[in-house]
Amino acid sequence: MLSIIDKYILKRYLGTFSVMLLLFAPIGIVIDVSEKVNKMLENKIPFGDIAFYYYNFTIYFINSLFPIFLFLSVIWFTSKLANNTEIIAILSSGISFTRFLRPYIIGATIVSIFVLLMGFFIVPAASEGYNNFRYTYLKGNGKELMRGENTNVFRQINDHDFIFVNSFNEESKTAFNFSLEHFEKEKLTYKITASRIKWDPKKKIYVLYDYTKRTVGELNDVIEKSPEKNVAFKFELADLTPVVYIAETLTLGKLIDFIEKERKRGSGNINTYLVVLYKKYSIPVSAFILTIIAVSVSSMKRRGGMGMNLAIGIAIAFSFVFFDKIFGTLAEKSTFSPLLAVWFPNIVFGILAVYLLRNAKR
């Protein structure tokens, strides 16, 4: 059962965090509008698309800066408790500092579950809408940039088939200089080539132009040619070059399946996809770590008052985000372990949380 003090602190925890979100989300929207309003007017973007973009932007913005908002809210209301000598009164009544942390941990648990569920089901859709709008309306050559590197694409699509295209056009669903090699027991059995391959979404088939199929025989090869041929392959052309932010747009189950499929294909972007997956779990855990650090830093009166606590809190919060971004980028662009990169900030700041908590108890 929660005591009156527990309910009081928990109410302040959740209330201040909610107010912080409601305060900073409109600020983020205003800043974003001021930066993009000229391009929106130039491109004559429909108001409905803009409104939907800012709905997605709000979710994306809150999810990205969630650790800062949580940390500052805990620093803020705990500093007020300390300045009003409420914490001294609570501890003087015989309650230990560990017991005093109980409502904070409950609050962190509620926030963590909320953020976890958002990351699994809500944020992916918001991320897709947010990024689609940016690449479609706000970036020069945005639709080409969405696909990243779409020339000289070589992919393994299953255990037996390898495909290659010289270039790929997303708008027309067409690839050029296509080839497919099929292997059985590490031996080439046939090879299909075409100067152009086009996906027909209505018939769910491919149209191959200048089609050639060479079937490898024991004595002689069999060659089949046709100026145009319809073929039903088990892959989509879009699978050759998925959008650069594809992992952010997938719910948990779809993301796990996608990573497994890309791993079998030998994709070079596996680390990027794994970083997105691991962050879905690491960010909610950071709520506990940052809560403990915030309480430890702000639970005692300081000569500089609340301003000093906020200054320390802002420095720690931005340091956490800095570490998170740096190591995430390091994992995406190098061979550095994605798992270690994603969890490294939590490990470092977890050690800091233990150290600060031990000092605060004294």
Side-chain angles (χ1 to χ4, degrees):
M1 294 294 293
L2 296 177
S3 66
I4 295 176
I5 294 176
D6 290 335
K7 293 178 181 178
Y8 173 69
I9 294 177
L10 182 59
K11 182 180 177 180
R12 297 287 296 273
Y13 183 106
L14 298 176
T16 307
F17 178 57
S18 300
V19 169
M20 194 71 68
L21 295 180
L22 295 174
L23 177 65
F24 279 97
I27 294 175
I29 292 174
V30 170
I31 294 173
D32 192 74
V33 168
S34 65
E35 292 178 348
K36 299 180 172 62
V37 64
N38 289 335
K39 285 192 175 182
M40 290 179 181
L41 293 175
E42 288 175 7
N43 295 327
K44 297 180 181 179
I45 305 173
F47 177 78
D49 290 354
I50 295 175
F52 187 62
Y53 164 71
Y54 278 107
Y55 163 76
N56 292 320
F57 171 84
T58 302
I59 297 174
Y60 189 87
F61 177 75
I62 289 174
N63 183 71
S64 299
L65 298 181
F66 145 77
I68 293 180
F69 297 148
L70 178 66
F71 194 79
L72 293 181
S73 64
V74 176
I75 286 276
W76 175 266
F77 87 82
T78 305
S79 295
K80 290 190 69 175
L81 293 178
N83 288 340
N84 295 335
T85 66
E86 293 178 76
I87 294 179
I88 294 176
I90 292 172
L91 298 179
S92 298
S93 67
I95 294 177
S96 67
F97 195 86
T98 302
R99 176 62 181 82
F100 169 68
L101 276 176
R102 178 179 170 182
Y104 286 93
I105 299 302
I106 294 174
T109 301
I110 294 172
V111 172
S112 294
I113 293 173
F114 176 72
V115 172
L116 190 68
L117 294 177
M118 276 191 62
F120 286 170
F121 305 109
I122 300 175
V123 173
S127 178
E128 182 175 16
Y130 168 75
N131 282 297
N132 285 349
F133 184 93
R134 288 173 60 240
Y135 280 89
T136 302
Y137 294 115
L138 305 178
K139 288 180 176 284
N141 298 321
K143 292 186 177 180
E144 287 75 18
L145 294 173
M146 286 172 70
R147 292 286 163 184
E149 181 59 49
N150 60 1
T151 58
N152 295 325
V153 178
F154 179 81
R155 301 290 293 272
Q156 179 178 353
I157 58 175
N158 55 47
D159 293 337
H160 304 284
D161 296 324
F162 297 79
I163 57 177
F164 170 83
V165 294
N166 179 253
S167 61
F168 172 61
N169 187 299
E170 168 62 18
E171 291 294 317
S172 62
K173 300 293 184 184
T174 302
F176 301 89
N177 295 330
F178 169 82
S179 69
L180 181 147
E181 296 178 343
H182 181 83
F183 290 84
E184 293 288 347
K185 297 180 180 180
E186 301 183 355
K187 293 180 105 178
L188 179 66
T189 57
Y190 66 82
K191 180 177 181 178
I192 295 173
T193 60
S195 63
R196 183 160 53 99
I197 177 172
K198 183 178 177 64
W199 168 247
D200 187 335
K202 293 182 179 179
K203 296 181 179 179
K204 302 295 183 182
I205 60 171
Y206 294 91
V207 182
L208 279 69
Y209 300 89
D210 299 325
Y211 168 87
T212 300
K213 180 178 180 181
R214 177 187 291 270
T215 303
V216 180
E218 294 184 4
L219 299 177
N220 296 307
D221 294 349
V222 178
I223 298 177
E224 176 189 352
K225 288 189 175 185
S226 175
E228 183 178 318
K229 187 174 182 64
N230 295 336
V231 182
F233 292 126
K234 293 183 179 180
F235 66 89
E236 294 185 16
L237 277 180
D239 291 339
L240 292 175
T241 54
V243 293
V244 294
Y245 50 85
I246 181 66
E248 298 177 24
T249 69
L250 301 175
T251 56
L252 180 63
K254 291 182 179 179
L255 177 58
I256 293 173
D257 292 340
F258 174 75
I259 290 175
E260 185 60 29
K261 184 169 68 173
E262 290 296 295
R263 197 192 300 274
K264 290 180 178 179
R265 290 176 172 177
S267 172
N269 295 321
I270 284 295
N271 281 4
T272 301
Y273 306 146
L274 288 175
V275 166
V276 174
L277 175 63
Y278 296 147
K279 278 189 176 182
K280 290 183 183 293
Y281 298 100
S282 68
I283 290 179
V285 172
S286 67
F288 295 95
I289 296 171
L290 294 176
T291 294
I292 293 173
I293 293 176
V295 175
S296 302
V297 168
S298 59
S299 59
M300 61 185 73
K301 277 190 173 183
R302 298 182 186 275
R303 184 167 296 179
M306 190 182 299
M308 180 61 69
N309 286 339
L310 285 175
I312 295 173
I314 290 172
I316 294 175
F318 277 96
S319 297
F320 179 87
V321 173
F322 174 78
F323 271 83
D324 181 60
K325 298 297 182 183
I326 288 294
F327 280 91
T329 303
L330 181 64
E332 293 174 3
K333 304 298 182 181
S334 69
T335 57
F336 195 82
S337 168
L339 182 63
L340 180 59
V342 169
W343 284 95
F344 186 79
N346 279 350
I347 294 171
V348 172
F349 284 83
I351 295 171
L352 177 62
V354 173
Y355 171 77
L356 293 175
L357 180 60
R358 291 182 64 182
N359 285 347
K361 287 181 178 180
R362 297 172 185 173

